[in-house]
Amino acid sequence: MTHTTTNIATETQRGPVPLPAPAARALVSLGATGTIASAFLSWTYSSNFPGDLTIYGYPAGLQILAIVAGALTLLYSLTLWNVRGLHRLNPAGATSPVLMTALSAFTVCWFAAIAIAVDLGGLVNLAPGAYVAVAASALPVIGALALPHPAPGTGLRGYLTKPDQPRPGPLPALAERAVITLGTAVALIVFTYGIGINDDESETFIGYLLAIVFATWALVHAGLLDRYAGISARHKGFSATLAFVAVAVFPFTQDNDHNANLGVSILVFATVALGLNIVVGLTGLLDLGYVAFLGVGAYAAALVSGSEFSRFSGVQFPFWAAALTGMAASLVFGVLIGAPTLRLRGDYLAIVTLGFGEIFRIAVNNLDGVSGPNLTNGPNGISRIPDLEIFGFNLGDAHDVGSFTLGRFANYLFLMLFFTAIVVLVFTRAADSRIGRSWIAIREDETAATAMGINGFRVKLIAFALGAALAGLAGTVMAHVNYSVNPQPYQFAGAAPPNSAFLLAAVVLGGMGTVSGPLLGASLLYLIPEKLQFLKNYELFAFGIALVLLMRFRPEGIIANRRRQLEFHDSNTPDTPAQPDEPAVTKAGA
Amino acid sequence: MTTPVLEARAVTMRFGGLTAVHSVDLTVGSGEIVGLIGPNGAGKTTFFNCLTGLYIPTEGTVTYQGTVLPPKPHLVTQAGIARTFQNIRLFANMTVLENVLVGRHTRTKEGLWSALLRGPGFKKAEKESEARAMDLLAFVGLDHKRDHLARNLPYGEQRKLEIARALASEPGLLLLDEPTAGMNPQETRATEELVFAIRDKGIAVLVIEHDMRFIFNLCDRVAVLVQGEKLVEGTSDVVQADERVIAAYLGTPFEGEPGEEEAAEVAAAEAAADAPADSTTGSTEGDSQ
Ligand SMILES: Nc1ncnc2c1ncn2[C@@H]1O[C@H](COP(=O)(O)OP(=O)(O)O)[C@@H](O)[C@H]1O
Ligand SMILES: [Mg+2]
């Protein structure tokens, strides 16, 4: 079937490059193979370039990315050769996935060559291998442009619009579970690779991002991500369990506790983003000071942690009590902020939460006994928070599990993972219930929702308070992970997460109203500033540009809501505008 | 007539200097279908909003089955009055089934805790709600579209869904605001049947409509609102014969196929009186409820 589609297409329309189709396909496959081979050569003479690309036979850094991107390109070029079984990867034999994979290899190789020349000062630093990579990775792009044009007459735009892919029916359950397992494993490997890139190897990380963006794009165009989403929706429990297993496996893949530290910070950030998603994504309330609730929880836990810098240094709650205290404190603040403002409609809440966020930080800064009562130790914060002890396990000590040694941060990662699981459970269960439906109804149309008997104030307050309590819970773990709390991170916008703007961005970028969206968005927003240290002062600028681009090209976020998928699935029904122009309606009946 | 389901007494609604509804009395008896007609901008929708608590009437009281209603929409729905909107207000990004489930909000109790703990009570309630919702969808003929997004439904089906959603709150009185606006004659006929079927369930109906044939076929009683005041009230025949009603409606074109007698009425009235020119353009505001 693939074969015929391709042939018919070939006869009718060609891409911008005039080459016969078989030659074009050969060019793609050849170039992809060449790209892979080039990675085993030396790309530069100096080991000063991040990753050390000098050694023959030992690909490193960007070269590994070139191999992966090259292999993907090769795979997708083979889908055009009518190879048995491969048509599943590109059911319509579409051109654009091939082009996207080719671009992923091309951008990685060319970026590497340019970065070498710029970093080390001149083209002389490029070893022959780099020239091979540059040449070989360009071939698949040329070849792909000679393949049938996806939508003749639309120029380059045609390549950017998602082709129609047939949607094969469900696989046998076991096969679907195997697909989910594979997908989770790939995600874990990709994530582990990214987090493992050294902080001073920004070049490698940029290459990593380029490869991922284009590869993902290819998978979207091949219809694979949609199908994967469908499959994991059919096995929700299974895929969620696997995702948690994957996170739990992560510390075992790391031999250094620094990455586990990153991991636990990402997990805290992602969990808080998921809590915010209840408020923003489900209920549609704009909360611009959400990070303050994280702060309330963290400070509450720090105060009862037994730290000698705490105002109540004699008090040391067991962790479960500290966690409840943090939650309760955030809940109280949530209700205090929400009660007066949620009765009003419109943007009052945004302004009040923005104010609350700032007031929290400034108050905490000043409650040091000099400019106010002594509670928070001012800008110095509360440090030397003792490590937790749970069931006789001191989380501060390294523990051996089999042949693996799990350090302090790995221990906290497991603790945090437990809390993440709680928040995910709370989110999914609440969303799929009477209360969750009333949140969504309020978000969709508050007037209609109240006319359906929903007490808007009440359900909004529940959402707001629940969101606050979940952030407080995450805060209690964060205080212990970081050894200390201080006012500095709890701002509206800053160069590094967590801050309210980043949290909000994680939700919007990832996909409002979904579970995996904010988790993914938060991971990206945490990792990118961490790994691209050179951006420094331009970070917020880059962040802003990225957000604008995202809103332009994918307003629903990376992970589209299930409802969006339904919309997609509905598209074959006759479409009428949901809200026809009002005058037309009134006149029509008049 | 036994105890009236709805009794509005001297309801007045002022917006600044504008009196949109002026001292209107209206009763709806149980099992009755009452029509409310009047030119655009007469205050019909505003009157509905006063009844359902979306507006707090400047003066007057609204009584439902003998108890005075508080001007809070959710309490009005709780009490047993459900409504639809002139400009459809579905939850566009929710599925058809979810829309109806939201309508059941007042008749279910499961709160956050039971949602989180998912005990047997929760599951039972959800199942029951879903069954009730599916019954209603079948009643309006939308059960085959349960998993479609509301926004993707054709216009006529959106109106039906709005009615199903309103019925989900198990009302004693249903308020319909121009339920056939924008519909073709067949759809209008189907809506007529639907309203009769609703009445047969024991639910009283108060309906705003511009389609005269629809109103006069359907209603036991019709009240005419002009410039915020109730002009006449009575059976179809009484209202149809009233000169002032004809005058008030002058220049308002009937869309679809006007009946012969209506066409004749219009022609006769056009000759008799001078038409207020602006009543054709439709002064209804885009975001009126
Ligand atoms: N919220 C409001 N504020 C000010 N004026 C309003 C408001 N709602 C309705 N009106 C005015 O009240 C009058 C009656 O409107 P409406 O009840 O929508 O008429 P109908 O439904 O009979 O066509 C109109 O003049 C309208 O502009
Ligand atoms: Mg109206």
Side-chain angles (χ1 to χ4, degrees), chain B residues 39-119:
Chain B
N40 276 324
K44 305 180 297 294
T45 300
T46 306
F47 182 61
F48 263 28
N49 288 343
C50 291
L51 297 183
T52 53
L54 284 175
Y55 290 163
I56 302 169
T58 323
E59 283 158 36
T61 52
V62 181
T63 322
Y64 176 76
Q65 288 179 341
T67 45
V68 175
L69 289 175
K72 284 257 194 303
H74 66 274
L75 296 180
V76 171
T77 312
Q78 171 84 41
I81 300 184
R83 69 170 293 176
T84 66
F85 293 90
Q86 178 177 350
N87 48 341
I88 302 175
R89 299 190 86 141
L90 288 169
F91 306 119
N93 290 312
M94 296 177 91
T95 65
V96 166
L97 177 65
E98 284 169 334
N99 267 277
V100 183
L101 286 175
V102 171
R104 286 200 47 78
H105 189 88
T106 50
R107 303 300 166 222
T108 44
K109 284 189 197 60
E110 284 60 45
L112 182 62
W113 284 115
S114 90
L116 296 184
L117 301 175
R118 304 249 146 163

Side-chain angles (χ1 to χ4, degrees), chain A residues 429 432 445 451 563 579 589-590, chain B residues 89 93 98 116 118 210 253:
Chain A
R429 291 196 159 183
D432 179 27
D445 186 332
R563 297 166 205 287
Q579 301 278 349
Chain B
R89 299 190 86 141
N93 290 312
E98 284 169 334
L116 296 184
R118 304 249 146 163
H210 281 299

Side-chain angles (χ1 to χ4, degrees), chain A residues 1-2 5-6 87 90-95 163-166 222:
Chain A
M1 173 198 108
T2 319
T5 342
T6 320
H87 74 276
N90 186 7
T95 298
D164 278 337
Q165 295 275 10

Side-chain angles (χ1 to χ4, degrees), chain B residues 40 44-45 86 177-178 208 284 288:
Chain B
N40 276 324
K44 305 180 297 294
T45 300
Q86 178 177 350
D177 197 345
E178 303 198 16
I208 296 177
T284 314
S288 64

